[in-house]
Amino acid sequence: MGKVGLCLAVGCALASCAIAAVMVGRRVKSRRRWWNVVRALDEFEEAASTPVGRLRQVVDAMAVEMHAGLASEGGSKLKMLLTYVDNLPDGSENGTYYALHIGGTNFRLLRIQLGGQRSILGHDVERKPIPQHLMTSTSEELFDFITVSLKEFIETTNGANQIRGKDLGFTFSFPVKQTSLSSGTLIKWTKGFSIDDMVEKDVVECLQKALCRTGLDMNVAALVNDSVGTLALGHFYDKDTVAAVVIGTGTNACYLERADAVIKCQGLLTSSGGMVINMEWGNFWSSHLPRTSYDIDLDAESQNPNDQGFEKMISGMYLGDIVRRVIHKMSLESDVFGPVSSNLSARFVLSTPLMAAMHEDHTPNLTEVAKILEETLNIKDVPLKVRKLVVKICDVVTRRAARLAAAGIVGILKKIGRDGTAGITSGRVKSGKSGKMRRTVVAIEGGLYLSYTIFQEYLNEAVSEILGEEIAPFVTLKIMEDGSGIGSAMLAASNSNQNVDTNTTVQGL
Ligand code: ADP
Ligand code: MG
């Protein structure tokens, strides 16, 4: 080989070495980036973990906070509001009753016909959107629209007959300070409503006046929130129902308490000796909650920072957004999601139902995950291992949410001594077993629990895990679909003069 040939050969060898080195370097870098993402996921999983020991700490904290909220006004982040519901439906109710349910952009009109012996003979529901302009107009305009719709609904469901049911249940899912079963003042509007002339006014009075203007001779017999409606429906079917939980866009819970345990209301007398307490549990907080940097950011950027901390880890409004935040951070730190998509910075762009669809994608290649990443987040051509990573993120977020909600439920059971322990007195959690355990039912409603199968399974499983195999068989979670609305019609029934057969007492205290 001549000199030139030798130089060429050496040159080629050097060039090949250089190319190989660059390729190996790239591969090492890309592997390192992948491992960075895996490490970030591990860290997130660790920070969001909910081993049963931690859940039991949350259970105790919930029970203690409940006690504190009942002890004094402002004693806890849990408001523990009196509902003035001391008579729950027991199945003996008879007659036709109506209910109105306002809680968001849609409102619902309901009619139920009860035939005694826990039977519902007829049930009509109509959903109607509230026109945008009425959400910020005057209380007269809003309520006239609602009562005119009610009149039309009655005419369609009742035909030409005279109105049979006169008692109306009113589910109003905004913060209200209740002053009796059928009165309460609006504390503030939420969810896009802003009608200044109604704030601090009695919402039942507003409705009653509009009924009058519309020519409807009806009586608002019960003003309730959605969790109380759910409890009422649960109790109608099963007298062992002692608590209700709603897990939908937001989350809340209520339960039956002994009147003498409501320390902040000394001398509270009720015919049954009990009272339903609206916990407003979305605002629960405890240092035992597994909070991550994503939760801190979500809270800081929300419309209500430092508020509704439990709700922000659990409910449908937020879960998708937590997943979006994790993907966004990973995308900024690595190129496994390709170039950083600007959609990843848009709050709430990934809704919880879409997140659930990715989580529940059973196709072998996770094509649904790929589709949602592309269509919603504008992230294209993601390899399978990255799609699997996305499913894992959804799993971590959902598992934590469901298990924390389960701990909240067991916290309620602990407060009233239905978890197999001696309950809680004087703000202290008692340890040890109580000896006897009674059958206990918790009514559940809300789109997240009803429609998201994995969430439901995780929650049910965690309740059993926390209670342990000896106690768990005594506790049943029962779905009460549409309980928010039907339950308030039932409360109108059980608190109506019309319903002569009813002689309800709160069972299960
Ligand atoms: P609201 O809480 O507004 O009264 P729902 O109880 O119907 O209404 O709950 C609706 C919420 O439930 C949605 O905002 C969404 O977060 C959640 N949700 C509904 N369907 C699904 C689903 N298939 N998967 C996951 N979450 C869902
Ligand atoms: Mg609802």
PDB file of all heavy atoms in Angstrom, residues 423-450:
ATOM      1  N   GLY A 423     -63.971   4.686  68.689  1.00  0.00           N
ATOM      2  CA  GLY A 423     -64.345   6.025  68.215  1.00  0.00           C
ATOM      3  C   GLY A 423     -63.450   7.107  68.779  1.00  0.00           C
ATOM      4  O   GLY A 423     -62.308   6.861  69.157  1.00  0.00           O
ATOM      5  N   ILE A 424     -63.983   8.313  68.858  1.00  0.00           N
ATOM      6  CA  ILE A 424     -63.174   9.426  69.325  1.00  0.00           C
ATOM      7  C   ILE A 424     -63.980  10.291  70.278  1.00  0.00           C
ATOM      8  O   ILE A 424     -65.129  10.603  70.019  1.00  0.00           O
ATOM      9  CB  ILE A 424     -62.607  10.251  68.140  1.00  0.00           C
ATOM     10  CG1 ILE A 424     -62.639  11.740  68.399  1.00  0.00           C
ATOM     11  CG2 ILE A 424     -63.284  10.003  66.841  1.00  0.00           C
ATOM     12  CD1 ILE A 424     -61.736  12.496  67.462  1.00  0.00           C
ATOM     13  N   THR A 425     -63.354  10.629  71.391  1.00  0.00           N
ATOM     14  CA  THR A 425     -64.012  11.554  72.327  1.00  0.00           C
ATOM     15  C   THR A 425     -62.972  12.579  72.753  1.00  0.00           C
ATOM     16  O   THR A 425     -61.775  12.320  72.713  1.00  0.00           O
ATOM     17  CB  THR A 425     -64.518  10.840  73.600  1.00  0.00           C
ATOM     18  OG1 THR A 425     -63.496   9.994  74.065  1.00  0.00           O
ATOM     19  CG2 THR A 425     -65.787  10.068  73.344  1.00  0.00           C
ATOM     20  N   SER A 426     -63.422  13.730  73.157  1.00  0.00           N
ATOM     21  CA  SER A 426     -62.561  14.828  73.618  1.00  0.00           C
ATOM     22  C   SER A 426     -61.415  15.093  72.657  1.00  0.00           C
ATOM     23  O   SER A 426     -60.301  15.411  73.080  1.00  0.00           O
ATOM     24  CB  SER A 426     -61.979  14.548  75.003  1.00  0.00           C
ATOM     25  OG  SER A 426     -62.924  13.934  75.796  1.00  0.00           O
ATOM     26  N   GLY A 427     -61.644  14.914  71.387  1.00  0.00           N
ATOM     27  CA  GLY A 427     -60.614  15.229  70.407  1.00  0.00           C
ATOM     28  C   GLY A 427     -59.492  14.219  70.345  1.00  0.00           C
ATOM     29  O   GLY A 427     -58.522  14.369  69.637  1.00  0.00           O
ATOM     30  N   ARG A 428     -59.598  13.131  71.110  1.00  0.00           N
ATOM     31  CA  ARG A 428     -58.540  12.112  71.080  1.00  0.00           C
ATOM     32  C   ARG A 428     -59.026  10.842  70.427  1.00  0.00           C
ATOM     33  O   ARG A 428     -60.132  10.379  70.688  1.00  0.00           O
ATOM     34  CB  ARG A 428     -58.127  11.748  72.516  1.00  0.00           C
ATOM     35  CG  ARG A 428     -57.401  12.864  73.215  1.00  0.00           C
ATOM     36  CD  ARG A 428     -56.028  12.333  73.642  1.00  0.00           C
ATOM     37  NE  ARG A 428     -55.304  13.424  74.298  1.00  0.00           N
ATOM     38  CZ  ARG A 428     -55.140  13.473  75.593  1.00  0.00           C
ATOM     39  NH1 ARG A 428     -55.623  12.519  76.355  1.00  0.00           N
ATOM     40  NH2 ARG A 428     -54.481  14.478  76.116  1.00  0.00           N
ATOM     41  N   VAL A 429     -58.156  10.281  69.599  1.00  0.00           N
ATOM     42  CA  VAL A 429     -58.516   9.018  68.968  1.00  0.00           C
ATOM     43  C   VAL A 429     -58.264   7.913  69.969  1.00  0.00           C
ATOM     44  O   VAL A 429     -57.192   7.812  70.541  1.00  0.00           O
ATOM     45  CB  VAL A 429     -57.656   8.785  67.713  1.00  0.00           C
ATOM     46  CG1 VAL A 429     -57.958   7.433  67.116  1.00  0.00           C
ATOM     47  CG2 VAL A 429     -57.876   9.887  66.706  1.00  0.00           C
ATOM     48  N   LYS A 430     -59.288   7.106  70.218  1.00  0.00           N
ATOM     49  CA  LYS A 430     -59.100   5.986  71.139  1.00  0.00           C
ATOM     50  C   LYS A 430     -58.578   4.789  70.362  1.00  0.00           C
ATOM     51  O   LYS A 430     -59.046   4.516  69.265  1.00  0.00           O
ATOM     52  CB  LYS A 430     -60.433   5.604  71.765  1.00  0.00           C
ATOM     53  CG  LYS A 430     -60.920   6.548  72.823  1.00  0.00           C
ATOM     54  CD  LYS A 430     -62.131   5.916  73.461  1.00  0.00           C
ATOM     55  CE  LYS A 430     -62.874   6.900  74.329  1.00  0.00           C
ATOM     56  NZ  LYS A 430     -64.204   6.392  74.666  1.00  0.00           N
ATOM     57  N   SER A 431     -57.641   4.080  70.981  1.00  0.00           N
ATOM     58  CA  SER A 431     -57.189   2.868  70.291  1.00  0.00           C
ATOM     59  C   SER A 431     -57.926   1.687  70.910  1.00  0.00           C
ATOM     60  O   SER A 431     -58.634   1.839  71.898  1.00  0.00           O
ATOM     61  CB  SER A 431     -55.676   2.725  70.418  1.00  0.00           C
ATOM     62  OG  SER A 431     -55.339   2.835  71.765  1.00  0.00           O
ATOM     63  N   GLY A 432     -57.752   0.544  70.340  1.00  0.00           N
ATOM     64  CA  GLY A 432     -58.412  -0.646  70.880  1.00  0.00           C
ATOM     65  C   GLY A 432     -59.748  -0.876  70.220  1.00  0.00           C
ATOM     66  O   GLY A 432     -60.295  -0.006  69.573  1.00  0.00           O
ATOM     67  N   LYS A 433     -60.242  -2.082  70.415  1.00  0.00           N
ATOM     68  CA  LYS A 433     -61.473  -2.463  69.724  1.00  0.00           C
ATOM     69  C   LYS A 433     -62.683  -2.203  70.608  1.00  0.00           C
ATOM     70  O   LYS A 433     -62.604  -2.246  71.821  1.00  0.00           O
ATOM     71  CB  LYS A 433     -61.401  -3.941  69.358  1.00  0.00           C
ATOM     72  CG  LYS A 433     -60.323  -4.185  68.330  1.00  0.00           C
ATOM     73  CD  LYS A 433     -60.290  -5.600  67.859  1.00  0.00           C
ATOM     74  CE  LYS A 433     -59.242  -5.707  66.754  1.00  0.00           C
ATOM     75  NZ  LYS A 433     -58.948  -7.046  66.386  1.00  0.00           N
ATOM     76  N   SER A 434     -63.813  -1.943  69.942  1.00  0.00           N
ATOM     77  CA  SER A 434     -65.015  -1.645  70.704  1.00  0.00           C
ATOM     78  C   SER A 434     -65.773  -2.911  71.080  1.00  0.00           C
ATOM     79  O   SER A 434     -66.623  -2.905  71.929  1.00  0.00           O
ATOM     80  CB  SER A 434     -65.939  -0.741  69.891  1.00  0.00           C
ATOM     81  OG  SER A 434     -66.482  -1.491  68.839  1.00  0.00           O
ATOM     82  N   GLY A 435     -65.448  -4.002  70.419  1.00  0.00           N
ATOM     83  CA  GLY A 435     -66.136  -5.243  70.750  1.00  0.00           C
ATOM     84  C   GLY A 435     -67.245  -5.550  69.772  1.00  0.00           C
ATOM     85  O   GLY A 435     -67.229  -6.575  69.139  1.00  0.00           O
ATOM     86  N   LYS A 436     -68.181  -4.617  69.589  1.00  0.00           N
ATOM     87  CA  LYS A 436     -69.294  -4.946  68.684  1.00  0.00           C
ATOM     88  C   LYS A 436     -69.244  -4.049  67.443  1.00  0.00           C
ATOM     89  O   LYS A 436     -68.869  -2.890  67.510  1.00  0.00           O
ATOM     90  CB  LYS A 436     -70.634  -4.785  69.392  1.00  0.00           C
ATOM     91  CG  LYS A 436     -70.856  -3.422  70.000  1.00  0.00           C
ATOM     92  CD  LYS A 436     -72.227  -3.342  70.641  1.00  0.00           C
ATOM     93  CE  LYS A 436     -72.567  -1.934  71.096  1.00  0.00           C
ATOM     94  NZ  LYS A 436     -71.692  -1.387  72.122  1.00  0.00           N
ATOM     95  N   MET A 437     -69.640  -4.603  66.338  1.00  0.00           N
ATOM     96  CA  MET A 437     -69.620  -3.848  65.087  1.00  0.00           C
ATOM     97  C   MET A 437     -70.969  -4.015  64.418  1.00  0.00           C
ATOM     98  O   MET A 437     -71.486  -5.134  64.327  1.00  0.00           O
ATOM     99  CB  MET A 437     -68.474  -4.390  64.216  1.00  0.00           C
ATOM    100  CG  MET A 437     -68.288  -3.685  62.917  1.00  0.00           C
ATOM    101  SD  MET A 437     -67.772  -1.976  63.059  1.00  0.00           S
ATOM    102  CE  MET A 437     -68.230  -1.344  61.445  1.00  0.00           C
ATOM    103  N   ARG A 438     -71.553  -2.890  63.958  1.00  0.00           N
ATOM    104  CA  ARG A 438     -72.864  -2.967  63.311  1.00  0.00           C
ATOM    105  C   ARG A 438     -72.717  -2.797  61.806  1.00  0.00           C
ATOM    106  O   ARG A 438     -71.797  -2.131  61.341  1.00  0.00           O
ATOM    107  CB  ARG A 438     -73.765  -1.852  63.845  1.00  0.00           C
ATOM    108  CG  ARG A 438     -74.150  -2.090  65.294  1.00  0.00           C
ATOM    109  CD  ARG A 438     -74.460  -0.786  65.967  1.00  0.00           C
ATOM    110  NE  ARG A 438     -75.719  -0.219  65.513  1.00  0.00           N
ATOM    111  CZ  ARG A 438     -76.156   0.975  65.875  1.00  0.00           C
ATOM    112  NH1 ARG A 438     -75.450   1.736  66.679  1.00  0.00           N
ATOM    113  NH2 ARG A 438     -77.303   1.418  65.440  1.00  0.00           N
ATOM    114  N   ARG A 439     -73.666  -3.353  61.090  1.00  0.00           N
ATOM    115  CA  ARG A 439     -73.672  -3.178  59.645  1.00  0.00           C
ATOM    116  C   ARG A 439     -73.741  -1.687  59.334  1.00  0.00           C
ATOM    117  O   ARG A 439     -74.521  -0.956  59.953  1.00  0.00           O
ATOM    118  CB  ARG A 439     -74.894  -3.909  59.065  1.00  0.00           C
ATOM    119  CG  ARG A 439     -74.993  -3.817  57.567  1.00  0.00           C
ATOM    120  CD  ARG A 439     -76.125  -4.691  57.017  1.00  0.00           C
ATOM    121  NE  ARG A 439     -76.226  -4.454  55.589  1.00  0.00           N
ATOM    122  CZ  ARG A 439     -76.967  -3.496  55.033  1.00  0.00           C
ATOM    123  NH1 ARG A 439     -77.703  -2.713  55.805  1.00  0.00           N
ATOM    124  NH2 ARG A 439     -76.975  -3.326  53.723  1.00  0.00           N
ATOM    125  N   THR A 440     -72.931  -1.238  58.388  1.00  0.00           N
ATOM    126  CA  THR A 440     -72.812   0.189  58.109  1.00  0.00           C
ATOM    127  C   THR A 440     -72.765   0.416  56.603  1.00  0.00           C
ATOM    128  O   THR A 440     -72.007  -0.254  55.901  1.00  0.00           O
ATOM    129  CB  THR A 440     -71.509   0.728  58.762  1.00  0.00           C
ATOM    130  OG1 THR A 440     -71.645   0.576  60.178  1.00  0.00           O
ATOM    131  CG2 THR A 440     -71.251   2.180  58.430  1.00  0.00           C
ATOM    132  N   VAL A 441     -73.592   1.359  56.141  1.00  0.00           N
ATOM    133  CA  VAL A 441     -73.619   1.628  54.699  1.00  0.00           C
ATOM    134  C   VAL A 441     -73.220   3.079  54.442  1.00  0.00           C
ATOM    135  O   VAL A 441     -73.640   3.984  55.172  1.00  0.00           O
ATOM    136  CB  VAL A 441     -75.032   1.364  54.117  1.00  0.00           C
ATOM    137  CG1 VAL A 441     -75.078   1.688  52.630  1.00  0.00           C
ATOM    138  CG2 VAL A 441     -75.450  -0.082  54.348  1.00  0.00           C
ATOM    139  N   VAL A 442     -72.398   3.268  53.429  1.00  0.00           N
ATOM    140  CA  VAL A 442     -72.029   4.615  52.999  1.00  0.00           C
ATOM    141  C   VAL A 442     -72.537   4.778  51.567  1.00  0.00           C
ATOM    142  O   VAL A 442     -72.234   3.959  50.692  1.00  0.00           O
ATOM    143  CB  VAL A 442     -70.492   4.815  53.049  1.00  0.00           C
ATOM    144  CG1 VAL A 442     -70.108   6.209  52.545  1.00  0.00           C
ATOM    145  CG2 VAL A 442     -69.957   4.592  54.466  1.00  0.00           C
ATOM    146  N   ALA A 443     -73.344   5.820  51.340  1.00  0.00           N
ATOM    147  CA  ALA A 443     -73.887   6.080  49.999  1.00  0.00           C
ATOM    148  C   ALA A 443     -72.870   6.904  49.213  1.00  0.00           C
ATOM    149  O   ALA A 443     -72.287   7.844  49.753  1.00  0.00           O
ATOM    150  CB  ALA A 443     -75.198   6.845  50.122  1.00  0.00           C
ATOM    151  N   ILE A 444     -72.661   6.550  47.943  1.00  0.00           N
ATOM    152  CA  ILE A 444     -71.692   7.305  47.132  1.00  0.00           C
ATOM    153  C   ILE A 444     -72.317   7.725  45.809  1.00  0.00           C
ATOM    154  O   ILE A 444     -73.040   6.961  45.183  1.00  0.00           O
ATOM    155  CB  ILE A 444     -70.415   6.505  46.803  1.00  0.00           C
ATOM    156  CG1 ILE A 444     -69.804   5.913  48.054  1.00  0.00           C
ATOM    157  CG2 ILE A 444     -69.401   7.382  46.102  1.00  0.00           C
ATOM    158  CD1 ILE A 444     -68.335   5.578  47.940  1.00  0.00           C
ATOM    159  N   GLU A 445     -72.023   8.941  45.412  1.00  0.00           N
ATOM    160  CA  GLU A 445     -72.460   9.396  44.086  1.00  0.00           C
ATOM    161  C   GLU A 445     -71.422  10.343  43.488  1.00  0.00           C
ATOM    162  O   GLU A 445     -70.466  10.743  44.150  1.00  0.00           O
ATOM    163  CB  GLU A 445     -73.886   9.977  44.222  1.00  0.00           C
ATOM    164  CG  GLU A 445     -74.056  11.426  44.031  1.00  0.00           C
ATOM    165  CD  GLU A 445     -74.888  11.711  42.768  1.00  0.00           C
ATOM    166  OE1 GLU A 445     -74.764  10.981  41.775  1.00  0.00           O
ATOM    167  OE2 GLU A 445     -75.636  12.701  42.788  1.00  0.00           O
ATOM    168  N   GLY A 446     -71.591  10.685  42.229  1.00  0.00           N
ATOM    169  CA  GLY A 446     -70.640  11.582  41.575  1.00  0.00           C
ATOM    170  C   GLY A 446     -69.978  10.891  40.397  1.00  0.00           C
ATOM    171  O   GLY A 446     -69.680   9.692  40.450  1.00  0.00           O
ATOM    172  N   GLY A 447     -69.782  11.662  39.320  1.00  0.00           N
ATOM    173  CA  GLY A 447     -69.292  11.118  38.066  1.00  0.00           C
ATOM    174  C   GLY A 447     -67.938  10.434  38.153  1.00  0.00           C
ATOM    175  O   GLY A 447     -67.697   9.446  37.457  1.00  0.00           O
ATOM    176  N   LEU A 448     -67.050  10.935  39.000  1.00  0.00           N
ATOM    177  CA  LEU A 448     -65.711  10.333  39.064  1.00  0.00           C
ATOM    178  C   LEU A 448     -65.806   8.903  39.578  1.00  0.00           C
ATOM    179  O   LEU A 448     -65.244   7.975  38.995  1.00  0.00           O
ATOM    180  CB  LEU A 448     -64.798  11.179  39.959  1.00  0.00           C
ATOM    181  CG  LEU A 448     -63.328  10.786  39.898  1.00  0.00           C
ATOM    182  CD1 LEU A 448     -62.692  11.222  38.599  1.00  0.00           C
ATOM    183  CD2 LEU A 448     -62.547  11.377  41.064  1.00  0.00           C
ATOM    184  N   TYR A 449     -66.541   8.712  40.661  1.00  0.00           N
ATOM    185  CA  TYR A 449     -66.678   7.370  41.242  1.00  0.00           C
ATOM    186  C   TYR A 449     -67.508   6.459  40.333  1.00  0.00           C
ATOM    187  O   TYR A 449     -67.163   5.305  40.106  1.00  0.00           O
ATOM    188  CB  TYR A 449     -67.313   7.468  42.632  1.00  0.00           C
ATOM    189  CG  TYR A 449     -67.395   6.139  43.350  1.00  0.00           C
ATOM    190  CD1 TYR A 449     -66.277   5.612  44.005  1.00  0.00           C
ATOM    191  CD2 TYR A 449     -68.564   5.391  43.358  1.00  0.00           C
ATOM    192  CE1 TYR A 449     -66.333   4.377  44.645  1.00  0.00           C
ATOM    193  CE2 TYR A 449     -68.638   4.159  43.992  1.00  0.00           C
ATOM    194  CZ  TYR A 449     -67.523   3.664  44.639  1.00  0.00           C
ATOM    195  OH  TYR A 449     -67.587   2.446  45.275  1.00  0.00           O
ATOM    196  N   LEU A 450     -68.580   7.006  39.782  1.00  0.00           N
ATOM    197  CA  LEU A 450     -69.502   6.191  38.978  1.00  0.00           C
ATOM    198  C   LEU A 450     -68.889   5.756  37.646  1.00  0.00           C
ATOM    199  O   LEU A 450     -69.082   4.633  37.201  1.00  0.00           O
ATOM    200  CB  LEU A 450     -70.787   6.976  38.690  1.00  0.00           C
ATOM    201  CG  LEU A 450     -71.980   6.703  39.595  1.00  0.00           C
ATOM    202  CD1 LEU A 450     -71.681   6.954  41.045  1.00  0.00           C
ATOM    203  CD2 LEU A 450     -73.167   7.545  39.174  1.00  0.00           C
TER     204      LEU A 450
END
